Amino acid sequence: MAEHTTAPHYTVPGMSKEEAVRVVDVLRMRLHSLNDLALTLKHVHWNVVGPHFIAVHEMLDPQVDAVREMIDTTAERISTLGGVPAGTPGALVAERTWDDYDVGRADAVAHLGALDLVYTGVIEDHRAAMKITDELDPVTQDMLIGQLARLELFQWFVRAHLESSGGRLSTAGAHTLDEAADQAVRNARRMA
């Protein structure tokens, strides 16, 4: 961990500095992930086109607002634990472990296919963080659990556009954003 990520003080009684530093490290990546998600959601909001434009366009703004609230809560938890939240684009880009969202102006179904994979990655990493914080910091774990409930709900909203009445997800088996976007469009055309 870089020196600039911890403050000279520690503010949570009953938790060792080592435990706090470990939780701050976990939360730092969650902060980057949530910041990236908020930007990605706005990108999709601005670049979605096609017959489902308005439904997707209007569905995303409440998600952006909720994710921004998660960002603020996560950053404040980092500060509470004596860490220094890094909210700059440079820190996010330098430290993230995932690729940038690369779908530009595209049909709503293509964006939703890619966005489903984005949500999967965020949710899987949030769940891993939740497990790490189980014994280290139940307060942080509780925050992550609350965030997961919202993130999983938002993914369900996205998947409702991609799922057949039989429960088959049009992006099943896709591993990249481009694959998911292409698969979603192809399957939507077949169903039309």
Side-chain angles (χ1 to χ4, degrees), residues 62-135:
Q63 292 183 26
V64 171
D65 293 341
V67 171
R68 285 180 176 160
E69 185 178 311
M70 292 176 204
I71 291 164
D72 193 50
T73 303
T74 303
E76 289 174 353
R77 185 67 187 155
I78 290 170
S79 292
T80 300
L81 293 171
V84 178
T88 63
L92 187 160
V93 171
E95 297 176 18
R96 72 179 175 192
T97 58
W98 55 91
D99 293 329
D100 202 17
Y101 188 87
D102 60 358
V103 180
R105 182 178 169 88
D107 183 87
V109 174
H111 274 297
L112 291 170
L115 198 51
D116 178 46
L117 282 188
V118 170
Y119 268 118
T120 294
V122 173
I123 290 166
E124 286 174 350
D125 290 346
H126 246 65
R127 283 189 165 275
M130 178 191 68
K131 289 176 184 173
I132 291 169
T133 58
D134 181 37
E135 290 187 28

